[in-house]
Amino acid sequence: MPAHHDMIIRNGICVLPWGMEQTDIGVRHGRIAALGVPHNATADETIDATGLHVLPGLIDSHVHLRDPGDVSVETIPTGTKAAVLGGLAAVFDMPNTSPSITDAQHLAWKQDYAEHNAWCDIGLYIGGTKTNIAELAALETGRGVCAIKVFAGSSTGDLLVEDDEHLERIMRAGHRRIAYHSEDEYRLQARRPMFHRGDPHRRHMEWRDEETAFLGTRRLMALARATGRPAHILHISTAEELEYLKDFRDVATCEVLVNHLTQVAPEVYDTLGGFGVMNPPIRDHRHYDAAWRAIGDGTVDTVGSDHAPHSREKKLLPWPDCPAGLTGVQTIVPVMLNHVAAGRLSLPRLVDLMCAGPARVYGVVGKGRLAAGYDADFTLVDMKRRRRIEESWIVSPCGWTPFAGMDITGWPVATIVRGHTVMREDDVLGSPPGQLVRYGN
Ligand SMILES: [Zn+2]
């Protein structure tokens, strides 16, 4: 008598760690119980995935859900609802909120709040600052903490650590991989007087130029080598850094953003104005081509959205008063699937970048692969589905996306989080089942 399952996903083409196979997946108690289920096995819920690909639940390891902060822009409930509508089973949320998450008290609040309000599973970054270095070793092993995040160049918030002395002290506190925003703050400040309020938005990439990013990364790599502390360089934006990092695989992993794989300058600034302004900036075709080469040759470990919403009103301010940061948590999967459909990467490579990659880089326990015993997180995608990204589909309260009007081939049609079907064909179902992601320490 075959075992009874809570859920069986039948007839889908599954992206397994060892290749794509058509197989049936059995789920019990929120975990994958079996790959390959007998035809007469029974289940409370059977999902027919005929014609669909079954991916491990996709992870966006770089989002800013702004909570606590301005609820008219984004919150954890709305941002994670956007995530599951967009096919994500987990997100890792940044600490530069208002107030920031830099101590045990705020971390405890966020752990409890996220567990009761998130539609997907969630990992939490802790901010590394000049004043919390003594606590970082304890904070980084807290429940649900994916990594310390250090802003070595200024962006939104007040978590700046620009000097080598404090960066090195942070690297010597604790042991887990640290995630960095890498831009050289001194060069940013030195170049600022060359630019003026009301300059065209494309000046953003001239101010925060290639050398600003590359210099920041060279400084971080020297310190990472000296201290032996592993680094994850977020949102790499230059051909120079991608080439350079190939010689630092002993200490460094890296992320590229979907934006840098999709949009190019100067067109993005001419068409979107402030809604194309982010840090590090979107650059020209040379860097776009380098980013795709680095996807192809394995240099890139993770792809994230850097979902960093601001109000429409603020984005309409003249440069550089328009804050940097774009929405993306709801659109990263469709846009990346469109790249798959266009032949720029394979579906297994996408799963490597958004499942195995985040799992490896951050030490995720029990997620990121379709294998017995792993969490029953799935993203079901229809690679033939054609659809246009509409702003009316966006559920983040700020209400805009830089990808509005983009025609997509390949769309997420269901999101399953530990056996809970939270999204099916644009419907968000049940109540928020999100838990904190577990990490090995
Ligand atoms: Zn970010």
Side-chain angles (χ1 to χ4, degrees):
M1 172 103 180
H4 183 77
H5 291 85
D6 299 330
M7 173 188 283
I8 297 178
I9 302 174
R10 297 259 187 214
N11 307 316
I13 300 167
C14 299
V15 181
L16 305 177
W18 47 86
M20 297 207 277
E21 275 179 27
Q22 181 160 348
T23 188
D24 297 341
I25 301 178
V27 171
R28 223 178 289 136
H29 308 308
R31 298 221 290 255
I32 297 171
L35 297 181
V37 179
H39 278 292
N40 56 351
T42 54
D44 295 345
E45 182 182 2
T46 299
I47 295 181
D48 181 8
T50 302
L52 305 179
H53 286 82
V54 181
L55 318 184
L58 295 170
I59 299 170
D60 185 347
S61 49
H62 188 165
V63 303
H64 301 255
L65 299 185
R66 306 291 196 217
D67 198 343
D70 182 351
V71 298
S72 73
V73 169
E74 190 66 290
T75 62
I76 283 179
T78 53
T80 55
K81 186 175 276 190
V84 301
L85 277 166
L88 295 166
V91 296
F92 301 173
D93 188 34
M94 288 292 177
N96 55 327
T97 44
S98 183
S100 295
I101 307 301
T102 56
D103 60 29
Q105 182 200 338
H106 287 99
L107 177 61
W109 171 83
K110 191 166 178 181
Q111 287 164 330
D112 180 64
Y113 174 68
E115 281 178 313
H116 291 93
N117 292 282
W119 284 93
C120 60
D121 283 356
I122 183 166
L124 312 177
Y125 288 90
I126 193 97
T129 73
K130 293 176 190 170
T131 55
N132 72 351
I133 298 174
E135 290 95 64
L136 285 175
L139 289 169
E140 73 165 357
T141 59
R143 224 160 43 85
V145 174
C146 60
I148 296 167
K149 164 72 182 284
V150 174
F151 290 84
S154 55
S155 200
T156 299
D158 56 357
L159 298 180
L160 185 63
V161 183
E162 74 281 24
D163 62 293
D164 283 6
E165 185 204 330
H166 284 99
L167 287 169
E168 178 168 352
R169 284 177 56 200
I170 288 174
M171 289 187 197
R172 294 194 188 280
H175 65 280
R176 294 179 65 200
R177 188 177 298 277
I178 297 174
Y180 295 96
H181 180 121
S182 170
E183 285 184 290
D184 186 89
E185 180 65 16
Y186 303 108
R187 185 173 170 88
L188 276 181
Q189 295 310 332
R191 292 170 62 77
R192 181 65 190 82
M194 298 163 57
F195 303 93
H196 306 285
R197 172 168 296 113
D199 279 354
H201 291 92
R202 75 178 68 162
R203 299 282 270 168
H204 193 65
M205 67 168 174
E206 294 165 22
W207 173 36
R208 307 179 88 106
D209 68 347
E210 287 93 335
E211 179 59 13
T212 299
F214 191 19
L215 177 56
T217 295
R218 294 199 305 275
R219 285 178 48 211
L220 286 170
M221 285 301 96
L223 292 168
R225 272 269 168 80
T227 58
R229 185 73 180 267
H232 184 52
I233 308 294
L234 298 164
H235 44 48
I236 294 280
S237 62
T238 69
E240 287 77 6
E241 291 168 280
L242 289 163
E243 196 55 39
Y244 181 79
L245 284 174
K246 290 185 173 73
D247 290 327
F248 288 87
R249 297 300 278 177
D250 54 327
V251 286
T253 53
C254 72
E255 172 196 69
V256 165
L257 300 182
V258 61
N259 306 74
H260 292 120
L261 294 167
T262 310
Q263 296 165 313
V264 287
E267 293 85 344
V268 67
Y269 301 107
D270 294 343
T271 55
L272 294 177
F275 297 90
V277 170
M278 62 182 297
N279 297 332
I282 296 166
R283 306 187 195 277
D284 66 20
H285 242 284
R286 183 170 73 85
H287 301 291
Y288 169 90
D289 290 341
W292 277 110
R293 271 200 308 281
I295 294 287
D297 73 11
T299 304
V300 181
D301 295 278
T302 65
V303 166
S305 73
D306 198 359
H307 176 73
H310 294 282
S311 71
R312 218 184 267 273
E313 186 182 30
K314 284 192 177 150
K315 287 300 251 178
L316 288 168
L317 293 172
W319 186 85
D321 299 337
C322 57
L326 306 176
T327 65
V329 70
Q330 196 170 335
T331 48
I332 182 173
V333 176
V335 172
M336 288 307 297
L337 291 175
N338 190 60
H339 288 312
V340 171
R344 297 186 188 101
L345 80 169
S346 67
L347 212 43
R349 178 61 170 135
L350 178 61
V351 167
D352 185 48
L353 291 162
M354 295 189 68
C355 297
R360 181 176 70 244
V361 166
Y362 295 88
V364 175
V365 173
K367 288 190 186 295
R369 59 198 262 136
L370 297 183
Y374 275 69
D375 285 355
D377 294 349
F378 309 104
T379 302
L380 273 57
V381 304
D382 181 349
M383 289 309 296
K384 294 208 168 66
R385 184 79 58 94
R386 304 181 77 153
R387 182 166 166 179
R388 179 168 293 177
I389 293 177
E390 308 275 7
E391 228 149 48
S392 58
W393 176 60
I394 299 295
V395 296
S396 295
C398 67
W400 57 269
T401 165
F403 299 110
M406 185 174 174
D407 288 312
I408 299 286
T409 301
W411 199 270
V413 296
T415 308
I416 297 164
V417 177
R418 282 173 292 92
H420 302 275
T421 304
V422 287
M423 187 278 285
R424 194 92 200 255
E425 297 286 358
D426 271 2
D427 285 330
V428 176
L429 307 167
S431 53
Q435 293 182 1
L436 296 173
V437 175
R438 290 171 298 144
Y439 299 90
N441 294 319

